[in-house]
Amino acid sequence: MDSGLLSEDGSAMGRWDQPDHVAVEKLRWKVKMLAKTGRYGAAEFWMDKIACLSDYRDLNDFFDMCEYLLLDGQHAACQNLIESRGLHKTKPEFAYLLGRSHFANGELDDALKALTGYVPSSQTTQTHLSDYTALEEDDQMSIDGDVMMRNPGESFSVSTGHDDIYLSAIQVLRGKIYDRLDNQQMACAAYLQALDLDPFSSDALDYLTSRHAIQTNERKRLMDEVVPRMKLGDDPGEHSLPEAIYLSKLQPDYNLRGEDKVAWRKWEHSAFALNPDFLLTKAEFLLGRRDYSAALQCTNHIMKLKPFYRNALPAHISALVHLDRRSQLFDLSHRLTLLYPGEVETWYATAAYYFICGGTDMTRRYLAKAIAMDKSCGYVWLLYGHSFSREREHEQALAAYFHAVDVMKGSSFPYLYIAREYVRTNNFGLAEKFYGEARDLARDDPIVLYEVGVMQIKKSESKAVTVNDAKKELLKAVDNLKLSLKIVKADSNEQKMMDSALESILESLAAAYMKLKEGKEALYYATLAFQITAKNSVILKLMGMAHVLLGHISDAVDAFQRSLAVNKDDTMTKKMLNEATEFFAKEGLAAEMGALDLGVARKIRSAKGPMTDSSRLSIKRASSIKRKNSLVTTTAQKGTPEVADSSAMDMSVSMEASTSAEPSFMGDFQPMIVAREVTLLDSGAVDESLVHVFNSLS
């Protein structure tokens, strides 16, 4: 009793430096509350005193003290405490903490060295990894009032049940380090190993899926092997919540049909209908289907719930770019610059704004800044390639797209854009190769099929292709375009395709049939495209050509006049209008020609010289028909071809302009350049191929 104290009644009191277990647990609880409120300095101060009671032998207290030092920014002190005791060599939690400290300081090599000092090499199997043991913990807690206490007399350390959690955390940190070091292969391997160790490592899954870093076979392996380990209930027939969330991220967008296409469709009326991550999954799917208006509705709602939510920013920016929402994008980039100047999304948004404004130099300047921060952002490389492609700088564009391929192995978009560049340079062999790669990744994507069809139309125009081969290419193009249209129709019951994409498919079909001299089919598809937009000069010009080919000269004049009203500078349309007007004036208003047989017309012209009124009458196939009231009515009543799965009545075409919603990633920005810019009717390709129609009539 000589070293102790006596109370007023003479009983012995405990020493101040030897508090009882209840008092220590109360102090620990107080420390946790300080840490929850972000007061890490105060938390570390009191945790140091608790750890001192056991001469720093209680590794739980020692770990908490070191972690509070790390969170308080005292990296050197944290590192010294761990390294001086060599705990990072035998305990995974301390190896992870030491690696975090070096990583936060930007010391990537030291961080990697601290982690590899404990974790086996990448060639070691998961079985070997599980053999590594950590500190044992008996963390059974009893509750005394509001205070959580450890059972007295027991050692306190980390449980073996937590080994995989810390080993998974180490792999995630290794992935971040390799990502910073621009070693994407090792980064992906580390993230995959993290998921194998702990399926609940959502940060690893988010990296792999949002950046399209894994291919289809790896996605399937994760669904088959990793996701089932997340089941929380005992019912083998039902997915648990974690399983359903992961399946929505891992399930491919294109290779499934119907209700099971994407898991989020089943959540529309659930408690997760307005959850930000659920809405992001939905927005990414809509971006893949090019429904930018609906995608922007989702991302706008996300931004209201979580302003500037980092995971949703690439999809949000993508939708803004596609809809040319310059004012919104300017406001977003300006606010991001003020709030988050150190984030790659900030400078990506700024570059995207200058891209849609046409400022190529400023676009590349800010993209270079974004790339310097994070070289593994595939959507940044895609936009970088677009900035060169728009200026017809093919070599630089291809270099950027190939870099995107390296970091987006699971996305079809880089291959699609590479193929486009080769089409522009008339390198159809390499274009077909990369279109094949895109189709392997997204076999049922209608836009990939559309691009292949357009490439085949361009190939048929090549001088190196014979007449027979050109016709074969056109027939292949028609098949691919019809398949693309069929998929759009099948999908339209659940998801409306973006009108401009649907318009491009129909326009290309009309162009292909015009090259095949099949006016009836060309007029049918051009009319369907006309129903989507009445202000497309190319579609109106195609309708005029189809009418000429069918002998409906008065309707052709009407279509050419409408086309010129939209685009007054189209010299080829002016020439065709003059020819059609002159011919129609000679024929008079009482009659219209039937479908022309161009072969007969050429024979008559070669035998008799310039065609006269009588020679024109000799090649008519039908008597006069009553003129219809309007262009669309005329087309509909003259009959349409029997084309599989293509009917004007059941075609799902949106006739309304979206006013409340606004519209290329991968979770990512994948700007789809308007298709007709790449191949469709640029430079009057179809005009040149059909100018002989008017030569036959003149």
Side-chain angles (χ1 to χ4, degrees), residues 417-647:
Y417 295 130
I418 290 171
R420 282 184 180 181
E421 289 303 311
Y422 283 126
V423 169
R424 285 181 169 183
T425 57
N426 294 324
N427 192 335
F428 298 109
L430 287 175
E432 288 178 347
K433 173 185 175 182
F434 285 99
Y435 275 131
E437 296 283 352
R439 289 202 65 182
D440 289 341
L441 291 168
R443 183 156 297 279
D444 291 333
D445 182 1
I447 299 302
V448 175
L449 292 167
Y450 163 75
E451 292 278 347
V452 174
V454 170
M455 181 269 294
Q456 289 162 339
I457 293 176
K458 289 284 289 183
K459 187 176 180 180
S460 70
E461 301 169 3
S462 175
K463 296 179 180 180
V465 178
T466 64
V467 176
N468 290 335
D469 289 340
K471 186 174 182 179
K472 290 179 182 178
E473 291 296 330
L474 288 171
L475 292 174
K476 291 179 183 178
V478 168
D479 290 340
N480 282 312
L481 291 170
K482 283 185 178 179
L483 181 56
S484 175
L485 190 62
K486 181 179 179 181
I487 294 174
V488 173
K489 284 184 60 180
D491 196 40
S492 62
N493 293 329
E494 301 175 12
Q495 175 56 50
K496 180 178 71 67
M497 190 76 168
M498 184 181 175
D499 280 351
S500 64
L502 182 59
E503 173 193 341
S504 297
I505 296 173
L506 295 170
E507 184 181 326
S508 296
L509 269 170
Y513 275 118
M514 282 301 298
K515 286 177 171 291
L516 289 168
K517 313 300 187 297
E518 298 182 20
K520 209 170 186 180
E521 288 81 358
L523 185 57
Y524 169 67
Y525 288 109
T527 303
L528 290 179
F530 176 79
Q531 291 175 357
I532 297 176
T533 173
K535 294 185 178 181
N536 186 327
S537 62
V538 176
I539 291 174
L540 289 165
K541 182 165 56 176
L542 278 170
M543 294 178 72
M545 290 177 177
H547 280 304
V548 169
L549 201 59
L550 293 171
H552 309 149
I553 306 302
S554 59
D555 291 334
V557 171
D558 190 7
F560 290 142
Q561 287 175 339
R562 294 185 184 213
S563 178
L564 283 176
V566 177
N567 183 8
K568 298 179 181 180
D569 300 326
D570 192 335
T571 57
M572 184 58 68
T573 303
K574 291 179 181 178
K575 179 179 179 180
M576 289 187 288
L577 176 61
N578 292 335
E579 294 281 356
T581 304
E582 180 183 352
F583 180 82
F584 186 69
K586 291 180 180 180
E587 290 296 321
L589 297 175
E592 287 190 346
M593 294 181 63
L596 290 177
D597 188 330
L598 298 179
V600 174
R602 282 193 291 269
K603 289 180 181 179
I604 294 176
R605 182 174 182 182
S606 61
K608 300 181 179 180
M611 295 182 69
T612 62
D613 292 344
S614 59
S615 63
R616 289 193 182 95
L617 294 175
S618 66
I619 61 172
K620 291 183 179 180
R621 283 187 169 181
S623 59
S624 62
I625 59 175
K626 186 177 180 180
R627 179 168 176 77
K628 308 305 185 289
N629 293 327
S630 67
L631 184 61
V632 177
T633 305
T634 301
T635 303
Q637 295 185 4
K638 284 179 181 176
T640 57
E642 292 296 326
V643 180
D645 298 317
S646 299
S647 170

Side-chain angles (χ1 to χ4, degrees), residues 295-312:
L296 189 58
Q297 283 183 327
C298 293
T299 57
N300 278 337
H301 194 78
I302 294 172
M303 293 302 157
K304 290 179 181 178
L305 296 173
K306 291 185 177 181
F308 312 112
Y309 185 38
R310 184 183 302 173
N311 291 352

Side-chain angles (χ1 to χ4, degrees), residues 118-180:
Y118 175 79
V119 180
S121 65
S122 59
Q123 297 178 352
T124 306
T125 63
Q126 182 182 347
T127 304
H128 291 134
L129 281 174
S130 62
D131 290 337
Y132 278 80
T133 58
L135 295 170
E136 295 185 355
E137 177 192 46
D138 186 359
D139 203 10
Q140 299 176 3
M141 310 294 286
S142 63
I143 300 179
D144 182 11
D146 292 333
V147 181
M148 299 185 67
M149 301 181 300
R150 311 188 192 199
N151 294 328
E154 295 187 357
S155 61
F156 313 117
S157 56
V158 182
S159 170
T160 54
H162 292 174
D163 283 359
D164 287 347
I165 295 178
Y166 280 107
L167 291 173
S168 177
I170 288 174
Q171 292 299 334
V172 169
L173 186 55
R174 282 164 60 92
K176 292 179 180 179
I177 295 171
Y178 283 125
D179 189 32
R180 290 275 188 91

Side-chain angles (χ1 to χ4, degrees), residues 123 176 183-184 224 228 252:
Q123 297 178 352
K176 292 179 180 179
N183 190 335
Q184 305 305 318
D224 294 341

Side-chain angles (χ1 to χ4, degrees), residues 187-197 204 208 214 218 221-222 226:
C188 290
Y191 284 121
L192 287 170
Q193 200 166 21
L195 283 170
D196 288 333
L197 289 164
L208 296 171
I214 53 175
E218 198 60 55
R221 186 189 72 81
L222 290 175
V226 175

